[in-house]
Amino acid sequence: MQPSVVPVQVQDFIWGDAPYEMTGEPMKVPASLPVFSQSVREAASSSVTIPSVHSLVGTFPGRATATPTVDFEDMTGWKALFYDGSSGELWQTHEQLLQGDWVAQLRYQGPYQGTGRIDIVPPAAITVPAGAQRVGLWVFATEWWGWEPQTIPPSTLGLVFQDGDGQFRSLTLQTLDWKEWFWVERQIPQDWPRPLLLTAIELSDVRAAQRRSLYLDALSFYSEPAKRALPQPAPGSPAWMPSDPGATVPAAAADPVISQAGSEVVIATRSAEGITYRYTPKTGTLSDIQVEMADGRHFQPFVGGGITGQVGNRLITPQTPGVERRLLQMNVEDNSVTTRWQWSWRGDTFEFTLRLRPVHKSLVAEFYAPKGGRSLLFGRVSGINGARMVEVPYWSYIYGPSSGNPKLLAANGLFLTSYLDWNVSNASRIYAPRGTAVSKDGAAINGGAQYLPLLDGSYNPLFERVVLNISSHLDEVLPVIPHPSSTRQELLRKNLQATYMGLPSTPAAWTQAFDHLRALWDLGVSHLFVRHHEESWRDGGESYTLRDTAAPAKGGDSAVVAYVARVRNELGFDVGLYTNYVDIAPVNGNFALDWVARTEGGELMRSWPRTYRLNSTAALAFESVYAPLIAKKFGTNGSYTDVHTALPPWEAVDYDPRAPGAGVFRTVYQDYGSLLLHDQQVYDGEVMSEGGVHWLYAGLVDSNYGQVRLESGDPNVPLLVDFQLRRIHELEGDADVVVYGQTGQVGYYTHLAQVIAFGNRGALWLPADPVDSAKTYFLMQQLQQRYVMEKVAAIRYGAAEDKATGSEDLLSSEDAVTSGAYLLSRVYIEYQNGLQLWVNGGPADWTIKAAGREWTLPSGGWLAQQGDFIEFSARVGGRRLDVVISPEYIYVDPHERPLEPAEFRSLGLPQGPLVGTDVPVVLLSPNGSHRRGDGWQVIPLVAPGQQGHLELVPSMLSSTGKPELSASDRIPGSNALLLQVDGGKPYPLTLKP
């Protein structure tokens, strides 16, 4: 089918869009990274100067030396070819100016059925400069694919070349899934015969008859320079990254001793289980290790595991047949056994060192290969009968649908884990297989490490430390996270996390946000860390990182400064703005190709639809500049440092040998961890990140969204809480378990039960109905104040029997995991401060014995008690009842029917001024931090205009007179009342609008 041909047209006027202005202020990044001290915040506040805002119109923020091959300033002879039912026009226009006076615009639509194709063709084929390695193009797309409701899949942009042999070749640039300007580029395959001619800019997969626009500018061919302008890190690893072989090994009672009997080395742990490791150095693989138990059980923990190496042109694995595996040397010492190996294949050799050492009950194996090492495999655990693999919540490697999590192996009272010490790994990435099936060949509980080549074909030397933990105690096989804990425990206990997203791009945006927070304050909400999202910096799709100028359409800097001051001073809430040192937008003034990480294929590493991934060392340098700047300029006392703890460090590795620490995920881990620690030093309050793989960074940041990433993706996470409570929980105060909703949504109580069981803080997602948000606040605030970062004394699990459960019926963690009872999601937690907590995350009711009576906890129900504090969400009298009685406030939600005075008394609760209500209500004590005046504040949590009936005991209220109420007693804009009444009998009060 012949295409329709449309010549270029000139649009010599503006259709209404202002010329596009690039955003961001280029900062001078330190040539070398500073040494971060505890006094950095004070030093920064007196030394940082704020740069002036300036326009970047007319500049090329890619590479300054790259002169565009095609600048679209003269489009004489250009035309558009429309294939397969697509149609449109090609324009030279002033709209969306990038640089110069003109850009190209394609207005197009697809066929009603099928897909179309469009070629934008120059008047003559464009010669690609000899030696050019890359081609880039500025593209302004107009659809947020996946972010805004779409019915038409995005199209794909590419280039068409004719090579030196006359063959036509296509090079895909990008799927058009963003709005605003974006720099897209690709490597030109070096095996294409030269010379090359660019014959067309091609748009494919053009679907459906919906009109769209595409703008193009500054098509450039260029080559990479010999060096990249990246800052240099300080030598060595920071103190928070320990290199000690036992750093991640759980403590356990053992007294290991090493002996040798002929060619066999025996490592007896002399532990309660009688664990003995027998090492027979036959192959140099991990299959040479066997485990014996005092009860006679024996098994192999790593069948098929070990190092893989490049021998000549062949990759040799631990199971490759026909390889000569020769032990060159063995040295047995008091605390280790070291072997040196040579593997040979057809005259080529590969050498490496393997060292084994016992630490407590565990065995630590270290592999070192200066040349040729390509991976380290865990193999399979073989020879254990009756084993089950268990996915442990929060011990996660997952980032995409194909990745898996490490597993715990449980078998007849014995538990086993294995993992790589992430502090010393030299690998490009680590991985774990998906699934929990145990086959006749054993169980693959972890995967291993991969070493990928740098872009020059070289490899980093292999060093890996494998930790094998075996014990009859679950706590003795869970990885230790050897980090300092957050110093903001009291702040984290007090504050709920409040995420404010979706600010409109209007001058009233920040005023509206304050009014919403004020409505929460009027309902008694007193302790929040309010963090805003990236729209603080952007109004549309422009830059949102590495900048300190606020979104102009929302009022700019002055509006944010005024908002932060009002929220902190008038409401007493803590405030943090959005920061992110992972993403960099090409329209940001700091953008340079040098800053962008390169994939293993040599391409710029994409991040979000309009950003690339920043090299991690550059990220640390930028954070050292911007964090103090933002804190000082806007007066924030916290930060939301997005993405860093959601992204496994191996997903941000820069494979360009010109970058410091190229090809090693530990480089990213070290940079991100140091960045988060520095954030803690800069901001005088909570520093939070996104979470997901945050166990790796626990304590290096104050808090994360406590996202649980299981392989199934099921939001109904089994309440197996040991790893979270005994490893992560003591180091930081995470919030929530997922990005979720508010009161009234399906799964609300099950969601809160998960938050409580895992010891996380409550979270509000704003803007939302203030009443719903207040209900969540009062259910969580006093409870979390008693458990956040508190040490656990005991964890027990409910069994399957349908009966009242007392402490004598609860299962240990070991029994619950072995039997699978943990899948019922019934857990009892006792904290060292005396707080006792029962949580039912399962689908059926759970009846327990506690606090002197039987309680029925429905699905998503809980009971907490500590001294005179009691809180429950339980089934009482056939209906759900939420009650919190604390020194700070009393909260009651009667749900379907009123809570009568007699029913209140029958619960045996501590006496309070509220004895009956038919609406959710909170009473703020005059003696607590929630107080609003000299007397009790009674706040019905009802919608505007809703009536409710309360019964109070006036004698228990602060009194200065007779029980009279007037309009002046009401809190403006709400139903809240300051009650100052007297008398000795219950005082019925009917609230009316």
Side-chain angles (χ1 to χ4, degrees):
M1 179 181 296
Q2 293 296 317
S4 58
V5 181
V6 177
V8 67
Q9 304 173 67
V10 177
Q11 178 187 300
D12 199 12
F13 59 91
I14 303 298
W15 277 52
D17 291 333
Y20 188 83
E21 179 173 322
M22 301 222 180
T23 55
E25 303 71 54
M27 305 291 293
K28 184 174 177 59
V29 177
S32 60
L33 298 182
V35 177
F36 300 140
S37 67
Q38 293 297 324
S39 61
V40 68
R41 180 170 59 81
E42 290 76 10
S45 64
S46 60
S47 64
V48 171
T49 58
I50 302 172
S52 60
V53 180
H54 61 277
S55 168
L56 295 172
V57 171
T59 67
F60 178 52
R63 181 168 302 285
T65 58
T67 301
T69 306
V70 179
D71 58 13
F72 298 99
E73 296 298 304
D74 181 3
M75 293 187 65
T76 303
W78 283 77
K79 59 188 174 182
L81 308 181
F82 295 90
Y83 295 87
D84 303 325
S86 59
S87 62
E89 310 94 38
L90 178 65
W91 293 83
Q92 185 184 32
T93 179
H94 296 300
E95 281 188 30
Q96 305 297 354
L97 285 183
L98 177 73
Q99 57 184 2
D101 298 321
W102 299 94
V103 298
Q105 180 191 24
L106 178 69
R107 302 175 195 164
Y108 67 98
Q109 63 190 45
Y112 282 93
Q113 293 182 344
T115 60
R117 177 169 64 89
I118 304 170
D119 285 348
I120 302 173
V121 180
I126 298 168
T127 301
V128 176
Q133 300 170 324
R134 310 182 80 92
V135 57
L137 176 66
W138 280 98
V139 182
F140 190 111
T142 55
E143 305 287 342
W144 283 130
W145 181 255
W147 289 19
E148 295 177 346
Q150 301 288 337
T151 58
I152 307 172
S155 302
T156 300
L157 187 68
L159 302 175
V160 181
F161 296 88
Q162 187 177 26
D163 68 18
D165 294 337
Q167 300 295 315
F168 287 92
R169 297 176 179 269
S170 295
L171 183 66
T172 299
L173 290 178
Q174 203 72 63
T175 299
L176 302 178
D177 57 0
W178 70 91
K179 287 184 179 179
E180 309 289 353
W181 284 109
F182 185 65
W183 170 253
V184 298
E185 71 158 63
R186 285 288 307 277
Q187 294 181 99
I188 302 171
Q190 294 304 297
D191 59 353
W192 286 3
R194 304 294 177 110
L196 294 175
L197 299 175
L198 176 67
T199 62
I201 301 171
E202 184 176 76
L203 195 63
S204 58
D205 297 322
V206 181
R207 304 169 189 250
Q210 178 175 318
R211 195 72 160 179
R212 297 178 179 181
S213 283
L214 183 70
Y215 301 86
L216 307 173
D217 202 3
L219 187 149
S220 304
F221 296 97
Y222 70 96
S223 297
E224 293 272 30
K227 295 182 179 181
R228 281 171 69 182
L230 287 168
Q232 295 299 310
S237 296
W240 63 265
M241 286 182 69
S243 59
D244 181 83
T248 68
V249 178
D255 184 20
V257 61
I258 299 176
S259 61
Q260 185 175 4
S263 62
E264 183 182 64
V265 176
V266 179
I267 303 175
T269 65
R270 296 194 286 193
S271 61
E273 300 87 348
I275 303 168
T276 298
Y277 302 100
R278 295 188 176 276
Y279 176 56
T280 305
K282 294 180 179 179
T283 65
T285 72
L286 290 174
S287 296
D288 293 344
I289 300 172
Q290 293 206 17
V291 178
E292 285 187 1
M293 309 298 297
D295 61 9
R297 283 185 286 180
H298 60 277
F299 59 90
Q300 290 180 274
F302 299 112
V303 172
I307 197 171
T308 71
Q310 190 75 33
V311 182
N313 61 359
R314 177 158 186 183
L315 186 66
I316 300 299
T317 76
Q319 295 178 301
T320 302
V323 177
E324 180 186 352
R325 305 176 193 269
R326 181 184 173 197
L327 176 64
L328 300 178
Q329 184 180 0
M330 183 167 72
N331 184 25
V332 180
E333 300 177 301
D334 290 342
N335 62 352
S336 67
V337 53
T338 303
T339 56
R340 191 162 63 85
W341 293 87
Q342 183 185 80
W343 289 355
S344 302
W345 172 262
R346 295 183 179 178
D348 292 311
T349 61
F350 165 60
E351 294 187 4
F352 64 93
T353 300
L354 168 61
R355 176 180 289 115
L356 301 176
R357 70 175 88 221
V359 179
H360 308 308
K361 293 180 183 178
S362 303
L363 183 67
V364 175
E366 294 177 341
F367 285 88
Y368 173 62
K371 295 181 179 180
R374 298 295 181 261
S375 68
L376 194 287
L377 308 176
F378 277 86
R380 304 175 73 85
V381 182
S382 179
I384 295 185
N385 297 322
R388 72 161 67 221
M389 279 200 287
V390 175
E391 194 174 4
V392 180
Y394 288 103
W395 189 20
S396 179
Y397 291 175
I398 281 183
Y399 186 63
S402 62
S403 55
N405 286 331
K407 311 298 189 305
L408 164 75
L409 192 71
N412 303 318
L414 192 66
F415 304 94
L416 184 150
T417 61
S418 58
Y419 51 86
L420 296 170
D421 186 339
W422 55 94
N423 293 287
V424 296
S425 173
N426 219 33
S428 304
R429 59 175 63 245
I430 60 178
Y431 67 95
R434 292 178 70 88
T436 57
V438 178
S439 70
K440 64 180 180 180
D441 297 325
I445 62 174
N446 214 326
Q450 296 175 320
Y451 284 67
L452 301 179
L454 306 187
L455 297 182
D456 61 1
S458 66
Y459 286 83
N460 288 305
L462 183 148
F463 182 83
E464 296 299 330
R465 178 180 293 153
V466 179
V467 178
L468 171 65
N469 300 316
I470 303 173
S471 179
S472 58
H473 300 287
L474 184 62
D475 185 53
E476 294 178 355
V477 301
L478 300 175
V480 168
I481 304 169
H483 295 162
S485 65
S486 166
T487 60
R488 298 191 171 100
Q489 181 179 15
E490 293 305 315
L491 184 68
L492 296 167
R493 286 177 168 179
K494 178 181 69 173
N495 281 344
L496 265 71
Q497 165 65 33
T499 299
Y500 206 112
M501 301 179 69
L503 281 173
S505 293
T506 64
W510 293 105
T511 301
Q512 292 171 2
F514 177 83
D515 291 344
H516 188 90
L517 295 176
R518 176 60 197 237
L520 288 174
W521 191 90
D522 286 341
L523 292 175
V525 174
S526 300
H527 304 300
L528 294 181
F529 169 59
V530 182
R531 77 91 176 162
H532 286 270
H533 207 56
E534 61 188 48
E535 65 266 18
S536 304
W537 308 110
R538 63 175 179 85
D539 292 310
E542 70 270 29
S543 171
Y544 61 96
T545 67
L546 309 189
R547 56 181 293 176
D548 75 317
T549 52
K554 301 180 181 71
D557 293 351
S558 60
V560 178
V561 170
Y563 165 82
V564 170
R566 290 191 70 193
V567 172
R568 294 189 62 185
N569 298 331
E570 297 181 34
L571 306 182
F573 298 161
D574 295 333
V575 186
L577 296 177
Y578 180 94
T579 59
N580 171 343
Y581 305 98
V582 175
D583 306 336
I584 183 169
V587 294
N588 184 273
N590 293 300
F591 183 82
L593 297 176
D594 282 348
W595 304 137
V596 180
R598 303 304 201 272
T599 68
E600 57 266 41
E603 303 294 352
L604 300 186
M605 191 177 294
R606 280 293 299 273
S607 192
W608 287 101
R610 63 191 183 283
T611 60
Y612 289 107
R613 190 158 292 160
L614 196 62
N615 169 279
S616 64
T617 307
L620 181 55
F622 275 117
E623 186 274 346
S624 71
V625 174
Y626 273 105
L629 188 65
I630 291 169
K632 178 183 179 182
K633 182 175 184 179
F634 295 101
T636 54
N637 62 338
S639 176
Y640 177 62
T641 309
D642 197 20
V643 183
H644 293 273
T645 63
L647 184 73
W650 43 91
E651 297 290 342
V653 173
D654 193 331
Y655 290 90
D656 188 338
R658 298 173 299 164
V664 179
F665 84 79
R666 181 169 40 85
T667 302
V668 182
Y669 177 57
Q670 174 176 324
D671 289 337
Y672 283 4
S674 296
L675 182 156
L676 293 168
L677 273 176
H678 184 242
D679 254 14
Q680 285 194 65
Q681 296 166 5
V682 169
Y683 294 99
D684 188 21
E686 178 180 342
V687 174
M688 186 185 189
S689 192
E690 185 176 355
V693 291
H694 52 279
W695 67 275
L696 282 166
Y697 300 94
L700 305 180
V701 66
D702 297 311
S703 179
N704 292 280
Y705 290 117
Q707 297 186 59
V708 186
R709 290 183 183 168
L710 297 184
E711 292 175 1
S712 66
D714 189 346
N716 295 317
V717 178
L719 299 186
L720 181 58
V721 301
D722 295 70
F723 181 62
Q724 160 66 12
L725 292 184
R726 295 192 184 277
R727 295 295 187 264
I728 303 172
H729 175 81
E730 295 180 11
L731 300 178
E732 63 189 25
D734 296 329
D736 217 314
V737 290
V738 289
V739 177
Y740 214 77
Q742 297 291 326
T743 303
Q745 293 193 349
V746 175
Y748 171 76
Y749 279 101
T750 301
H751 168 65
L752 275 190
Q754 292 179 23
V755 174
I756 293 167
F758 284 117
N760 291 342
R761 299 154 58 215
L764 307 182
W765 297 88
L766 308 176
D769 182 273
V771 168
D772 285 347
S773 299
K775 290 178 181 178
T776 299
Y777 175 88
F778 289 114
L779 282 172
M780 290 299 306
Q781 199 276 332
Q782 281 294 285
L783 180 55
Q784 74 174 41
Q785 190 146 336
R786 287 162 169 78
Y787 66 58
V788 166
M789 294 184 68
E790 180 67 28
K791 290 183 179 295
V792 170
I795 299 173
R796 298 287 184 268
Y797 292 87
E801 290 82 358
D802 184 18
K803 64 179 183 180
T805 305
S807 59
E808 70 279 1
D809 301 314
L810 296 173
L811 302 175
S812 66
S813 298
E814 290 75 13
D815 290 340
V817 171
T818 300
S819 66
Y822 75 93
L823 294 170
L824 293 170
S825 291
R826 299 173 173 180
V827 63
Y828 165 79
I829 304 159
E830 183 178 346
Y831 288 90
Q832 290 187 7
N833 62 4
L835 177 67
Q836 298 181 76
L837 180 60
W838 293 258
V839 182
N840 179 21
D845 287 357
W846 184 26
T847 303
I848 63 171
K849 294 178 180 176
R853 57 165 291 166
E854 284 191 2
W855 301 82
T856 299
L857 303 184
S859 179
W862 64 89
L863 168 69
Q865 187 177 32
Q866 181 194 41
D868 59 359
F869 166 79
I870 188 167
E871 173 174 334
F872 60 83
S873 181
R875 197 179 307 284
V876 176
R879 59 92 152 84
R880 191 175 201 120
L881 179 64
D882 299 340
V883 172
V884 180
I885 297 182
S886 74
E888 286 277 330
Y889 57 78
I890 296 171
Y891 170 73
V892 174
D893 186 348
H895 289 276
E896 306 96 86
R897 61 180 178 80
L899 177 65
E900 304 292 344
E903 189 175 17
F904 209 124
R905 290 192 296 271
S906 71
L907 293 172
L909 300 175
Q911 183 65 51
L914 177 70
V915 294
T917 180
D918 61 4
V919 294
V921 63
V922 64
L923 284 76
L924 304 183
S925 167
N927 302 315
S929 63
H930 289 73
R931 65 195 296 259
R932 294 291 190 268
D934 294 332
W936 284 82
Q937 185 179 13
V938 180
I939 307 175
L941 300 180
V942 297
Q946 181 179 349
Q947 297 188 21
H949 184 82
L950 312 176
E951 292 197 28
L952 309 169
V953 181
S955 61
M956 300 189 69
L957 303 172
S958 177
S959 59
T960 59
K962 296 182 179 180
E964 296 178 354
L965 297 169
S966 66
S968 62
D969 296 315
R970 292 185 179 273
I971 301 298
S974 75
N975 282 340
L977 304 169
L978 282 173
L979 295 184
Q980 294 179 323
V981 297
D982 200 0
K985 297 180 180 180
Y987 182 78
L989 173 65
T990 299
L991 299 171
K992 296 182 179 180

